Amino acid sequence: MAPAIHKATILAMDPGEHPSEEYTLVEKWLEKWQNQITVADYSSGGWEHMWDVSGSKQAIDDIPAKLRCASRWTNWK
């Protein structure tokens, strides 16, 4: 049986002084879990950066709570 795939949307604000603390946290998380996650989508609206990611429960649970947001990708959860 294949392991369950979990989803999350990550939102990091990066207003001007790149990289912001939030953006740096996302970069560290992406590096830590790079072999165990998939980035399904990335978008940026200037200061806003969003990643739709999937992976193991452990990887998704490791995302700092302040970086998680509701989205269609996660069925608005």
Side-chain angles (χ1 to χ4, degrees), residues 14-60:
D14 194 26
E17 297 193 24
H18 185 70
S20 68
E21 177 185 350
E22 289 181 359
Y23 193 91
T24 299
L25 282 172
V26 176
E27 285 183 321
K28 288 179 181 180
W29 181 86
L30 289 168
E31 183 177 330
K32 177 180 179 179
W33 295 102
Q34 65 183 334
N35 295 324
Q36 299 177 46
I37 59 151
T38 299
V39 177
D41 191 33
Y42 167 78
S43 63
S44 176
W47 292 356
E48 299 173 347
H49 301 268
M50 293 183 74
W51 295 260
D52 288 334
V53 296
S54 62
S56 69
K57 180 175 180 358
Q58 184 180 11
I60 299 303

Side-chain angles (χ1 to χ4, degrees), residues 7 9 52 69-77:
K7 295 179 178 181
T9 296
D52 288 334
C69 69
S71 69
R72 288 183 189 189
W73 173 250
T74 62
N75 294 321
W76 301 105
K77 296 176 187 175

Side-chain angles (χ1 to χ4, degrees), residues 4 45 48 59 62-64:
E48 299 173 347
D62 191 48
I63 300 168

